[in-house]
Amino acid sequence: MPIPHQQIPTPLQKLVSPVFAQAGIEVWIKRDDLNHPLIQGNKWHKLKLNLEQAKQQGAQELISFGGAYSNHIAALAAAGKAYGFATRGFIRGDELAHNNQAWSATLKTAAENGMMFEFLSRSEYRLRHNPSWLSDLQQSYPNGFILPEGGSNPLAVAGFESLINELNQQLDFSHLLCAVGTGGSLAGMAKFARADQQVWGIASLKQADYLIPQIKDWIAEDKQNWHLWTEFHGGGYGKTTDEIINKTNEFETQFNVLLDPIYTAKLVYGFYQLLSNGCFKRGSRVVLYHSGGLQGREG
Ligand SMILES: Cc1ncc(COP(=O)(O)O)c(C=O)c1O
């Protein structure tokens, strides 16, 4: 399904550095941040099959959930606009309801792309996974297609098959590293990567081990080719440290690639930590997956 302004395949950019040469590894970055200005990176892979399903079902509105800085919400609004769906975002934080001065750049952009918002208190927002609350919501919006927070569901996971095929045509990689929020992208990449290719997720939130059973469920087969690293979150979701900020600045200057502070900055930081801990054998061919989210830099 083509989308206006979309660049596919995205470039696989080699990162050349004496540090990598010394460790005897080669490193690339998969520039999926370039695939679309707003439906960037992993968002496109997670949404594409869901959009097809929504069309087939005759849905008229895409509905989902997120915080004020959710890249998924921004991407959903842009996708709705591009494909002729209305969009509705259930946003955490009822204090934002009558205060659009306080909206993040993400919410403002989503609103410009036509998204309607329903602001929920923190306690109401907790119901977003509750089956009976969701079924009432579906009844209230019979023409709506409901996507979970972060857009991760089995169709989202299936959407990574084409990414892995594209990447395998570009390079016979040994390791693929991605940032993790819900784990849907990690599950999709691990599901479609070969058994001899390692897919490593770097969690951007604290105590992310709870994601592991869900990731296994999404993969839905016994694959041993993945790992979730949970120690590089820098204090938790949306938080950071001077060490992460310094590494981000160094990486951006050295390679001329911008990162987002919430996900890909921690991916890059985690990668360098793993490298200095000797986790890559000589001869490894490592790909860092740039999942986009760059509109999040605007706050
Ligand atoms: C830029 C970026 N990278 C990575 C992720 C994490 O993806 P997932 O929720 O599939 O783990 C997100 C969240 O959707 C994101 O916006």
Side-chain angles (χ1 to χ4, degrees):
M1 172 155 61
I3 189 163
H5 314 299
Q6 196 180 30
Q7 183 187 342
I8 282 182
T10 54
L12 184 66
Q13 181 181 338
K14 184 144 194 195
L15 304 178
V16 178
S17 152
V19 178
F20 307 150
Q22 211 175 8
I25 67 168
E26 289 180 284
V27 183
W28 287 261
I29 186 161
K30 175 64 173 164
R31 297 294 308 274
D32 260 7
D33 56 314
L34 299 177
N35 64 4
H36 188 273
L38 279 172
I39 318 174
Q40 267 180 21
N42 61 341
K43 302 300 160 311
W44 170 241
H45 299 292
K46 290 205 226 182
L47 280 172
K48 61 193 179 197
L49 300 181
N50 278 296
L51 294 173
E52 279 175 13
Q53 177 73 23
K55 270 265 171 327
Q56 267 174 28
Q57 277 177 220
Q60 281 157 16
E61 185 170 40
L62 306 172
I63 299 174
S64 198
F65 312 90
Y69 297 92
S70 163
N71 296 321
H72 162 64
I73 286 293
L76 191 72
K81 189 173 172 191
Y83 285 100
F85 293 100
T87 50
R88 187 176 300 270
F90 284 81
I91 308 298
R92 181 177 55 234
D94 50 357
E95 72 281 1
L96 295 168
H98 303 293
N99 186 8
N100 54 4
Q101 302 290 345
W103 288 7
S104 60
T106 299
L107 289 187
K108 285 182 187 149
T109 315
E112 277 161 25
N113 282 326
M115 183 174 266
M116 305 294 295
F117 294 133
E118 313 283 344
F119 292 97
L120 302 181
S121 67
R122 265 119 185 118
S123 57
E124 273 178 299
Y125 191 79
R126 270 183 222 120
L127 295 169
R128 67 196 181 282
H129 303 302
N130 178 308
S132 80
W133 188 81
L134 283 170
S135 124
D136 289 351
L137 186 71
Q138 185 69 74
Q139 278 181 17
S140 309
Y141 297 98
N143 297 320
F145 185 86
I146 302 178
L147 285 146
E149 184 180 52
S152 293
N153 61 11
L155 282 176
V157 170
F160 285 89
E161 183 169 14
S162 54
L163 166 73
I164 295 296
N165 289 342
E166 180 183 309
L167 200 46
N168 270 327
Q169 278 174 17
Q170 290 174 310
L171 179 77
D172 186 14
F173 64 91
S174 62
H175 295 75
L176 174 59
L177 273 64
C178 69
V180 170
T182 62
S185 306
L186 170 60
M189 292 180 198
K191 186 175 176 72
F192 297 105
R194 296 194 313 261
D196 63 327
Q197 294 175 315
Q198 283 294 314
V199 183
W200 290 354
I202 309 288
S204 55
L205 52 147
K206 231 191 213 161
Q207 292 167 343
D209 289 314
Y210 77 93
L211 296 173
I212 291 173
Q214 173 69 84
I215 295 170
K216 284 188 180 154
D217 261 21
W218 277 326
I219 296 176
E221 53 193 286
D222 184 24
K223 291 207 83 160
Q224 311 287 328
N225 64 342
W226 62 280
H227 184 76
L228 178 64
W229 298 92
T230 57
E231 56 273 66
F232 308 123
H233 54 72
Y237 185 79
K239 306 214 167 110
T240 194
T241 61
D242 287 346
E243 228 183 324
I244 296 178
I245 294 171
N246 292 342
K247 187 45 86 182
T248 304
N249 293 339
E250 191 188 305
F251 183 90
E252 289 185 339
T253 313
Q254 188 177 0
F255 299 115
N256 202 18
V257 176
L258 295 181
L259 303 173
D260 85 291
I262 297 184
Y263 293 102
T264 48
K266 293 177 184 178
L267 163 70
V268 163
Y269 171 72
F271 159 65
Y272 277 97
Q273 293 296 111
L274 293 171
L275 181 59
S276 59
N277 293 346
C279 295
F280 297 101
K281 276 201 281 205
R282 295 187 83 76
S284 295
R285 296 153 78 80
V286 181
V287 175
L288 307 177
Y289 179 73
H290 198 319
S291 43
L294 294 178
Q295 101 283 330
R297 288 170 65 94
E298 288 159 36

